[in-house]
Structure formats: C-alpha cells, structure tokens
Amino acid sequence: MKRAEYKVPGGKLLVAETEVEEGFLTTVKVMGDFFMHPEEAINDLEEALNGKETAKIDEIVADFFGGKEITLFGVSEEDFAHVLKLTLES
Amino acid sequence: MTETWRLIDMRIEDAPTQMSIDEAIALARPKGETPNTVRLYRWDPSAVSIGYFQSVEKEVNLEACEEKGVDVIRRITGGGAVYHDYNGEITYSIVAPEKDPRIPRDILASYELICGAIVRGLEELGVDCEFKPVNDIVAGDKKISGNAQTRRHGVVLQHGTVLVDSDIRTMFQVLRVSDAKISDKLIQAVEERVTNVRRYLGREVLFEEARDALVKGFEETFDVVLEPGELTEREEGLVKELHEKYSSREWVYQR
C-alpha cells in the first residue's frame, strides 16, 4: 500500500492510498477533509481508476470530472490527479 | 411581512439520530411540505463526527472514545472531524432550497452568508470573530466554529459546530491531529489554535444564552422569524429509516 498526503495551498487535505501491480492500479482510495457534491461520486472516481494504468491517471481523472456534474470545494480536479501520482513516488 | 422559518430547538439526541434528522429535513424540503428550517442541537452522548471522505482510524482515537463513552459517526457532509461535547457544544443546521434568493449559488459565498449568522450570534455574546475561508469561524486566530455544507436534491444543508464551553483537552484526546508520534509540546500548540466562548469571554455562558444569541444571529442575517416547531410525521419516519444507516458499521467504517 502506497500512501501520500497533499495539503492544497489555501484549501483542504487530500490523502490517497494506492496499490499497483505491473503498472496497473489495483487499489485506489481517496480521503481527506475536502468537499465534493454529490459525495458518493468519490466511489465512482475510485472505481474509474481501479484496474487502469498508472500512466493514465491524469487522463482518467480529467475524463471523470469532465463527464459529470460534480462540484468540488477546497480542492480541484488536478489536485486529485496530483495526490494519486504522489503515491507512485512514495 | 417577515417570512417565518421553522426552528427545531435544542433537541438532545444521540449521534445517529442527529445526523438522521438533518438528512430527513433535507430530503423532505424539496417536496414543499416544510419551510426552511434551522436547528440548534446537542449530542448525548458526546460524539466525534468525521467528514464523509475521512478515515475513521486516521482521524479518531477509538480507544480514547471507548474509554470516555464518546460515540463516533460519519457525516453526510465533507470537511473535518469535530468533537461534539455534550457539556459544551451547540451544533446548528440549516436547510433551504438552492434556488432561495437569499442563498448564493456560489458555494464560498453561501458559506460566508450562513457562517455570518453564527458570527452575528457570537458577536451578540461579546465574541469578536470573523468568517475564515474556506469554512471556519475564528476569534482572534483561534477556531471557534467549523462548518460543512452539502447540496443535493436542489437543497442546501449546512451544519456546523459552535464551541461554547467544549473541553478542548478531551477534544484532542479523541481526535487524532497528526500521526501517533505527536509530542506533548505539539499537542499543546494544537490546543492553542482552538478556543470556546467561555474561554474567550472569561465567564460562564449558559446554553440558553448561547441559544438565544444564535437564534438572533439567524433572524437578523436572513431577515426572518424563527418559530419553534416540530418535525413532520414524514420527517420522523425518514429519521427512523436513516437511523439504521447512520448507526451501521458499514456506514461509519466505510473509509
């Protein structure tokens, strides 16, 4: 399990945990004190990333937020991609 | 004529019931059966509520909670962990349609407006404080209120904590601030970043006095009259249904 934390400047804390096998995400969990409406969309984001190549994190996160009516507060969609990629370096 | 909103006044309930009531009011509101509603309430037993996206294990010292009889619950709203001290804390909630002309569409602006009601209430008590983006109220540089909002079914639900006489030492025993390695010195520094009305004013503040001030803060901010009322039968039914979710391990420990 790889874990990373990212405090968005002037914003909220994002925590990500991932497991990677041969370049593919096998576990994805995003936590923190941020706001996302509707809240349940976090499960869909994790689901969208699960089983995908780590090289495609940016693309998948952008597609995910692009295709849905999701409101973020205290974090941006780029921050999600950022904290997920940070786990790969840990 | 001044509009009347419903006030559900200082109900004392356990954590699953309180969270069920807030969600039930938000669910019933779009049907138009109920007016805009403000609640003021206390938690019995004391409880830690964590944000929707937070990890229980990482935010809460579960052993300390068990030892002290403090309940643990996950909120429907994001944001951070809060210690709801039965003896020293008032929680508020407000439910209104997103399209209400008084509620800004912009989320930050709506936090500022609703938190403004709490600021007015606290000022009424003599606490000089201000809204601090993104979702806090501070007196001096110390946090005295934390707030969390969700929007669903065309409704805004915001709830938040007002620290009247919360036991700040216990707060940081039941909440995990950083990793387990945190030193006593650091704990002290963290405690210095939070205050409560009693500590700020240097005098005892009864719940009744704080309640009256908060009611006034809401009435003045929204130019409404808060009229004490009860939950409708439908809302009470929803509370019963939702209680099962909020008290389940699956809900509380999902992250």
Side-chain angles (χ1 to χ4, degrees):
Chain A
M1 178 79 77
K2 292 172 168 187
R3 179 182 160 82
E5 294 190 359
Y6 175 56
K7 165 72 172 65
V8 178
K12 293 290 170 185
L13 180 74
L14 274 169
V15 181
E17 289 177 358
T18 62
E19 275 178 54
V20 178
E21 278 174 35
E22 295 170 7
F24 287 83
L25 294 159
T26 56
T27 304
V28 181
K29 215 167 159 191
V30 184
M31 292 161 287
D33 62 355
F34 56 92
F35 294 90
M36 175 190 276
H37 315 148
E39 287 75 8
E40 293 80 6
I42 194 73
N43 300 313
D44 302 333
L45 173 64
E46 292 169 348
E47 191 62 29
L49 287 155
N50 216 339
K52 303 289 170 33
E53 283 177 74
T54 56
K56 290 192 171 158
I57 287 175
D58 281 319
E59 195 185 317
I60 294 163
V61 171
D63 283 355
F64 177 81
F65 285 105
K68 290 192 167 64
E69 271 203 30
I70 294 171
T71 310
L72 292 172
F73 186 65
V75 292
S76 69
E77 44 181 276
E78 291 79 17
D79 296 327
F80 280 93
H82 179 70
V83 73
L84 286 160
K85 287 188 289 184
L86 277 182
T87 65
L88 307 177
E89 295 163 15
S90 65
Chain B
M1 204 185 92
T2 311
E3 194 176 316
T4 299
W5 288 4
R6 179 176 55 164
L7 173 68
I8 309 284
D9 200 8
M10 294 302 270
R11 251 178 95 157
I12 296 171
E13 303 282 358
D14 64 10
T17 306
Q18 297 295 23
M19 291 297 89
S20 300
I21 295 174
D22 278 356
E23 188 172 349
I25 293 171
L27 285 169
R29 185 64 188 86
K31 313 258 179 201
E33 305 158 6
T34 49
N36 291 351
T37 300
V38 171
R39 290 180 70 215
L40 298 173
Y41 56 96
R42 290 167 60 199
W43 307 56
D44 184 17
S46 298
V48 170
S49 78
I50 59 169
Y52 183 87
F53 308 101
Q54 291 190 301
S55 149
V56 183
E57 282 85 0
K58 301 212 170 67
E59 301 296 333
V60 187
N61 184 333
L62 293 167
E63 279 175 27
C65 285
E66 183 148 350
E67 190 188 305
K68 293 170 189 298
V70 170
D71 210 349
V72 180
I73 196 152
R74 181 178 302 277
R75 298 191 306 269
I76 196 181
T77 50
V82 174
Y83 173 53
H84 305 273
D85 183 347
Y86 171 67
N87 292 305
E89 189 259 0
I90 295 179
T91 305
Y92 77 87
S93 69
I94 176 171
V95 173
E98 275 186 286
K99 63 177 193 322
D100 187 301
R102 279 162 294 213
I103 304 288
R105 291 199 82 79
D106 177 70
I107 292 178
L108 183 59
S110 66
Y111 269 106
E112 185 158 16
L113 177 74
I114 297 168
C115 290
I118 304 303
V119 168
R120 271 178 113 124
L122 288 170
E123 282 173 349
E124 180 73 17
L125 292 169
V127 179
D128 185 15
C129 58
E130 60 182 352
F131 173 64
K132 187 186 174 201
V134 292
N135 59 331
D136 287 335
I137 295 168
V138 295
D141 54 353
K142 297 172 199 278
K143 182 165 167 173
I144 198 161
S145 165
N147 305 275
Q149 184 184 121
T150 184
R151 294 178 177 223
R152 51 178 66 216
H153 320 300
V155 165
V156 176
L157 160 65
Q158 182 170 315
H159 43 206
T161 178
V162 181
L163 305 182
V164 177
D165 188 14
S166 290
D167 181 339
I168 293 172
R169 179 136 283 249
T170 302
M171 180 184 295
F172 289 106
Q173 286 167 346
V174 295
L175 300 180
R176 287 192 201 282
V177 175
S178 180
D179 27 35
K181 286 180 197 162
I182 195 160
S183 69
D184 282 342
K185 203 174 153 192
L186 272 172
I187 286 183
Q188 213 168 23
V190 168
E191 286 181 13
E192 288 301 315
R193 278 160 36 197
V194 174
T195 192
N196 61 42
V197 176
R198 181 190 177 137
R199 195 181 274 197
Y200 182 93
L201 296 176
R203 68 169 174 89
E204 193 179 357
V205 176
L206 299 175
F207 280 117
E208 206 165 82
E209 183 186 358
R211 172 263 179 218
D212 290 349
L214 291 169
V215 167
K216 197 169 172 195
F218 276 102
E219 288 184 330
E220 288 181 2
T221 299
F222 292 97
D223 189 25
V224 294
V225 172
L226 295 185
E227 193 170 273
E230 300 298 327
L231 296 181
T232 63
E233 229 170 86
R234 186 175 126 75
E235 285 169 328
E236 291 284 8
L238 286 166
V239 169
K240 284 207 185 74
E241 284 171 32
L242 291 163
H243 193 280
E244 200 175 327
K245 170 181 89 173
Y246 280 107
S247 47
S248 71
R249 241 193 116 73
E250 292 72 33
W251 172 259
V252 177
Y253 287 83
Q254 65 178 270
R255 268 165 208 282

